[in-house]
Amino acid sequence: VQLVESGGGLVQPGGSLRLSCTASGIISGIINTMGWYRQAPGKQRELVALLTKDGTRGGTTNYADSVRGRFTISRDHAKKVSLQMNSLKPEDTAVYYCYLHRTTGSDDWGQGTQVTVSS
């Protein structure tokens, strides 16, 4: 399985970025959850947002308290999710990792994309 992330970069405080993650080498039927974690320098990796299949079109979303109301995760198609990040703050600066959880129980990770929020 390969998870390809795109959309990271440098943005000023209050600005927006959109991250995308596309999965390949996997059957969409065994994708249970896709989403994003992040890791800032000197800190542990933490959950940002997840989208889990639940039989509905939209799925179930889960957000960290620190990003709820500013970030929105969505499914573009069966193997691609995007994260719209608005009102970015310097504390959002981190490497963002795409995450995939299979129905078989195993997890996959992307290589990470840097997001820097700075004036």
Side-chain angles (χ1 to χ4, degrees):
V1 176
Q2 185 176 16
L3 301 178
V4 178
E5 302 130 327
S6 62
L10 172 65
V11 64
Q12 293 186 342
S16 299
L17 281 175
R18 185 176 181 88
L19 305 182
S20 293
C21 175
T22 303
S24 62
I26 187 170
I27 300 172
S28 61
I30 66 169
I31 298 174
N32 176 255
T33 298
M34 288 186 72
W36 299 89
Y37 282 73
R38 69 186 180 187
Q39 188 167 18
K43 295 186 177 181
Q44 291 188 333
R45 191 171 296 189
E46 63 177 5
L47 180 147
V48 177
L50 298 175
L51 196 157
T52 300
K53 291 181 181 179
D54 64 1
T56 67
R57 182 173 181 176
T60 298
T61 57
N62 183 25
Y63 295 97
D65 289 342
S66 59
V67 307
R68 188 175 291 111
R70 299 187 296 122
F71 292 11
T72 303
I73 189 170
S74 60
R75 185 183 307 280
D76 298 324
H77 61 68
K79 298 183 184 181
K80 181 180 180 181
V81 293
S82 293
L83 183 69
Q84 179 65 40
M85 305 187 293
N86 298 329
S87 302
L88 283 160
K89 305 175 181 180
E91 50 263 44
D92 294 317
T93 295
V95 177
Y96 284 68
Y97 295 91
C98 182
Y99 165 80
L100 185 153
H101 180 72
R102 310 185 195 192
T103 56
T104 56
S106 61
D107 299 326
D108 300 282
W109 295 91
Q111 292 296 311
T113 185
Q114 177 70 44
V115 171
T116 302
V117 185
S118 175
S119 56

